[in-house]
Amino acid sequence: MNDSLYLSASCVVGAERVLAHEIELLGMKATERAAGRVYFSADSRGIARALVNLRTADRLFLQFGTFPAADFDELFEGALALPWERLAAKTDSIVIEKARCNRSKIDSQSTVQAMVQKAAYERIAQAYKLGRPAATGAQVTARVRIESDQATIEVDLSGDALSRRGYRRLPTEAPLKESLAAALLFMAGWKRSFPLHDLFCGSGTIPIEAALYALDIAPGLKRHFTWETMPIGNILHMKEEKDRAQAKIQMDREVYIAGSDSDASTVKAAVSNAGIAGVATKIKFFPSKAEDAAPLAEKGFLFADPPYGKRLGSPEESNALYARLADLPRKFAGWNICFVVDREDFGKSWSRTGAKRTKLIDGAEVRYFHRFMAQ
């Protein structure tokens, strides 16, 4: 199957630019951006390449169909007309996991889900000449959005979220999502030639993502995707893209990546996770308080995702922590300092202005990524 399909990749709101850049580095053109989405077209090989290689995406969706839906009859007929048999085998189950209605005559989301699912199964029964679909095989997951009486159905090609790399077997409290950690590295402009130190390493996500990126280890190399089991999918293309990604790995590269945390058990979890990811020998993890950190090179990137008030502890504890870190800009004068916090005015706590700042929205959580450039 070599036809071009229209797709969207989802991400944390605020990370669209780096995701679009990733897509274009893979040889595809990002045609449109929306909040938490980047749209592009790709053939079967391009889909496989995106699934295996995208670091900052959370999921990959096929934009399956758009049609008028001013009432439930129109919704049903529009969904019935879509070629569901291209996505689901005769024994597969179809789940409409989400529905959203906005500025539309239809406003019952649960009814929308039930109606589209009924239409999908009726189409499957017709296509495969079945009395009733068995729904015992693989699961195909779709979402419906009705905006101004226009319905759009998108189908998840990922399966498990792309952000779930599989290495974080020992999570710590309030861990940073893998795809967001990768996005932070790209936003900061970090390159493998620079040392990197994460002051609050937690489960090790930022250092591990940095090592995977530095060594050209594709995030989806060792996992499977829903796309592979679909009739429209192509197992050969997926194998070829994984082989291509495997050939790019450079384990002999010299990098300096470190992660520290004041909690020894947390450091132990990070070491274990790095081992599962296959990069334990490339990262130095050690117990240390953030305020005791010292630069081990003249230039580098200092990252910090501290336990700010809304996630862990109280706002008062956060203020006390930030005060203890006030000397970091002086000690790390030649370094770029990157903080993920819940405060838009975080730079004022250090009497620093001119920082680059990006607002990030991940579900219900709002964060700000502050980058203080080297002096």
Side-chain angles (χ1 to χ4, degrees):
M1 190 243 150
N2 295 314
D3 296 339
S4 183
L5 298 173
Y6 194 45
L7 311 164
S8 73
S10 65
C11 64
V12 170
V13 175
E16 299 87 359
R17 182 181 60 82
V18 292
L19 174 55
H21 183 61
E22 263 203 290
I23 289 168
E24 296 194 345
L25 286 177
L26 294 176
M28 295 160 283
K29 182 175 177 57
T31 56
E32 184 184 351
R33 295 186 214 169
R37 288 296 179 103
V38 178
Y39 295 84
F40 64 105
S41 295
D43 59 11
S44 175
R45 192 180 298 279
I47 291 172
R49 187 177 307 139
L51 288 168
V52 171
N53 292 283
L54 286 177
R55 299 180 189 276
T56 62
D58 289 335
R59 290 188 178 276
L60 185 65
F61 295 97
L62 169 65
Q63 300 304 294
F64 190 40
T66 298
F67 50 87
D71 55 44
F72 286 113
D73 287 340
E74 211 168 30
L75 174 66
F76 182 84
E77 292 302 325
L80 180 63
L82 296 176
W84 292 93
E85 67 275 10
R86 300 181 72 191
L87 306 179
K90 63 182 180 180
T91 59
D92 289 348
S93 63
I94 298 172
V95 176
I96 310 302
E97 66 169 354
K98 291 183 180 180
R100 189 181 71 191
C101 305
N102 187 35
R103 299 194 302 271
S104 297
K105 297 181 183 68
I106 294 176
D107 61 4
S108 174
Q109 298 183 8
S110 60
T111 305
V112 167
Q113 288 175 273
M115 191 69 69
V116 173
Q117 185 159 313
K118 181 180 178 182
Y121 276 123
E122 186 166 318
R123 173 74 186 218
I124 291 295
Q126 292 174 2
Y128 292 111
K129 296 179 173 54
L130 302 171
R132 182 178 179 181
T136 57
Q139 180 174 297
V140 174
T141 304
R143 300 179 179 183
V144 185
R145 182 178 71 256
I146 303 179
E147 188 90 24
S148 301
D149 298 331
Q150 193 79 2
T152 298
I153 296 179
E154 59 182 17
V155 177
D156 182 15
L157 304 181
S158 314
D160 286 338
L162 300 180
S163 57
R164 295 176 185 169
R165 316 289 201 225
Y167 59 73
R168 203 158 62 186
R169 307 279 177 82
L170 294 177
T172 55
E173 199 166 2
L176 192 69
K177 188 164 63 177
E178 293 93 318
S179 56
L180 177 54
L184 298 179
L185 294 169
F186 295 156
M187 289 179 190
W190 179 74
K191 305 294 182 186
R192 60 176 171 263
S193 57
F194 288 96
L196 180 148
H197 183 183
D198 180 3
L199 293 178
F200 300 88
C201 70
S203 57
T205 309
I206 290 177
I208 292 172
E209 288 296 317
L212 293 173
Y213 173 52
L215 304 173
D216 281 332
I217 300 175
L221 190 58
K222 296 181 180 179
R223 56 161 291 178
H224 296 286
F225 308 94
T226 298
W227 166 253
E228 297 177 74
T229 65
M230 291 179 170
I232 202 175
N234 191 307
I235 296 175
L236 176 60
H237 287 169
M238 181 61 71
K239 181 182 183 306
E240 289 174 349
E241 289 302 325
K242 285 186 175 181
D243 288 345
R244 181 180 177 184
Q246 182 69 42
K248 289 183 177 179
I249 296 175
Q250 299 289 332
M251 290 301 296
D252 58 346
R253 282 178 177 157
E254 291 294 327
V255 294
Y256 181 81
I257 300 171
S260 58
D261 201 285
S262 60
D263 186 338
S265 64
T266 294
V267 173
K268 185 177 179 180
V271 171
S272 176
N273 292 336
I276 294 168
V279 294
T281 61
K282 299 295 181 177
I283 306 172
K284 180 181 179 182
F285 287 111
F286 55 95
S288 176
K289 292 182 178 179
E291 56 266 37
D292 295 335
L296 300 180
E298 291 185 4
K299 298 180 180 180
F301 283 73
L302 191 69
F303 279 81
D305 177 26
Y308 48 83
K310 291 182 182 178
R311 294 173 66 211
L312 299 172
S314 66
E316 292 72 25
E317 290 171 327
S318 294
N319 290 335
L321 172 62
Y322 298 155
R324 295 197 301 271
L325 302 178
D327 200 35
L328 286 179
R330 182 192 63 80
K331 291 197 294 183
F332 288 83
W335 286 53
N336 295 287
I337 302 176
C338 308
F339 264 77
V340 184
V341 295
D342 63 341
R343 299 184 185 179
E344 188 174 8
D345 62 348
F346 175 73
K348 292 182 180 179
S349 64
W350 285 354
S351 299
R352 295 282 295 273
T353 58
K356 294 183 179 180
R357 182 179 64 239
T358 301
K359 183 179 181 180
L360 301 166
I361 304 175
D362 184 14
E365 188 166 14
V366 178
R367 307 177 186 183
Y368 294 90
F369 185 42
H370 297 263
R371 283 93 79 202
F372 303 95
M373 298 299 101
Q375 300 294 299

